[in-house]
Amino acid sequence: MTENAISNAVAVRDNGPAAQIEQYRDEYAALVPSHVNADQWIRLAVGAIRGSKDLMEAAQTDVGVFLRELKTAARLGLEPGTEQFYLTPRKSKAHRGQKIIKGIVGYQGIVELIYRAGAVSSVIVEVVRTNDTFRYIIGRDGKPVHEIDWFGEDRGEMVGVYAYAIMKDGATSKVVALNRRQVMEAKAKSDGRNSEYSPWNTNEESMWLKTAVRRLAKWVPTSAEYMREQLRAQAEVAGELAAAPSAASVPAMPQPTALDDADPDDEGPLEGELVD
């Protein structure tokens, strides 16, 4: 390797995406929620980009876009480069077909946001396969009955997915159940579905799970603001709470969530310019 080549390599290393993360360490540390270890979050972000040649090249195309995607992960308090928050290379017309980084909230990230709000004790999200037994009748069954032969040789193809939460007072949330057609309709809205790096192609089952839990998120709290509101309400009406029904027992209405801006249902094109 020539002296110039070595100098160029060092320059790329010192000013590349990983170095930029370190440079903005304080900004990311200020964004992550208080329960998240900022140093560990930084290490995950740096490790994700250094551990994949494809991600490194895509991040180098536009480091600014990459850093903004990490900002979304930091604001949500999700681990970048994991099933909480995928980092995927996507082609961009704005960059003449070169790949840039797109962040995608994974199903584990949505589950984490639901738990973090403090209203639920457990979240159940599972795929149903052809050799499983699944029973659920709205109005009769409080929750689905899903029987799996764990020791069978083959559970078969995925035919559906469901998700629900058990609230802290024991009530069951709305049950979300989707068949294959409905999951495929959700997939069809994803502009990155045909990319070899899309989770739809690298981890399809996780995207089935995400499709269900993403819809569940509209029926259960996903923000710490919920807990603050609960505490504020308790302080205001402390003398009346004993006679009032639990808020978690009242059927919820669909609500906007932190995901609506950070991760729209169709995983819309970054800057409106994604192509594959």
Side-chain angles (χ1 to χ4, degrees):
M1 181 179 290
T2 66
E3 184 175 344
N4 286 338
I6 294 174
S7 298
N8 291 336
V10 171
V12 169
R13 182 192 65 194
D14 291 343
N15 298 289
Q20 291 288 312
I21 297 172
E22 294 286 358
Q23 180 179 338
Y24 291 101
R25 169 183 291 270
D26 292 344
E27 285 81 353
Y28 286 123
L31 281 173
V32 297
S34 58
H35 73 279
V36 175
N37 185 303
D39 288 335
Q40 181 178 348
W41 191 95
I42 294 291
R43 285 195 296 271
L44 281 170
V46 172
I49 204 67
R50 285 181 173 168
S52 169
K53 179 182 177 181
D54 291 331
L55 284 178
M56 178 64 79
E57 291 177 350
Q60 287 173 340
T61 299
D62 192 326
V63 176
V65 168
F66 168 59
L67 295 177
R68 286 197 298 273
E69 296 297 284
L70 284 184
K71 182 178 179 180
T72 298
R75 180 168 55 85
L76 293 175
L78 301 180
E79 298 176 347
T82 72
E83 288 191 350
Q84 287 191 5
F85 192 88
Y86 293 102
L87 296 174
T88 63
R90 299 289 181 87
K91 292 180 181 178
S92 169
K93 286 182 179 178
H95 297 80
R96 300 181 179 181
Q98 294 185 80
K99 292 174 181 174
I100 55 177
I101 294 292
K102 168 67 176 174
I104 301 174
V105 179
Y107 90 92
Q108 290 186 2
I110 301 176
V111 170
E112 166 66 16
L113 293 176
I114 292 174
Y115 275 123
R116 193 185 302 163
V120 308
S121 60
S122 62
V123 177
I124 295 86
V125 52
E126 296 285 348
V127 296
V128 180
R129 295 179 177 270
T130 52
N131 294 330
D132 297 349
T133 298
F134 180 82
R135 297 188 302 275
Y136 176 64
I137 297 178
I138 298 175
R140 186 196 73 178
D141 302 325
K143 61 190 71 171
V145 175
H146 184 195
E147 299 176 356
I148 300 172
D149 180 4
W150 292 109
F151 303 107
E153 292 185 2
D154 184 10
R155 287 177 57 196
E157 297 294 323
M158 293 185 291
V159 294
V161 63
Y162 65 94
Y164 64 94
I166 304 298
M167 313 306 287
K168 284 195 171 177
D169 70 345
T172 301
S173 74
K174 176 181 176 64
V175 176
V176 173
L178 306 172
N179 59 27
R180 171 178 283 275
R181 177 185 59 79
Q182 292 169 308
V183 175
M184 291 301 101
E185 287 175 353
K187 177 181 179 180
K189 294 179 181 179
S190 171
D191 287 312
R193 64 189 180 278
N194 295 322
S195 168
E196 62 180 305
Y197 301 102
S198 170
W200 281 108
N201 297 314
T202 62
N203 196 347
E204 185 181 14
E205 181 172 336
S206 72
M207 294 305 289
W208 282 59
L209 295 170
K210 176 186 174 178
T211 302
V213 78
R214 181 66 173 77
R215 299 191 184 188
L216 174 66
K218 293 184 178 296
W219 295 90
V220 296
T222 57
S223 170
E225 180 63 26
Y226 167 83
M227 184 59 68
R228 289 193 290 270
E229 289 297 330
Q230 291 292 93
L231 293 174
R232 186 179 300 117
Q234 290 174 19
E236 292 175 354
V237 295
E240 302 176 10
L241 284 180
S246 169
S249 300
V250 180
M253 292 297 291
Q255 58 183 334
T257 76
L259 295 166
D260 290 331
D261 293 328
D263 187 52
D265 283 327
D266 63 355
E267 294 173 12
L270 192 63
E271 303 178 334
E273 296 289 350
L274 287 184
V275 294
D276 273 295

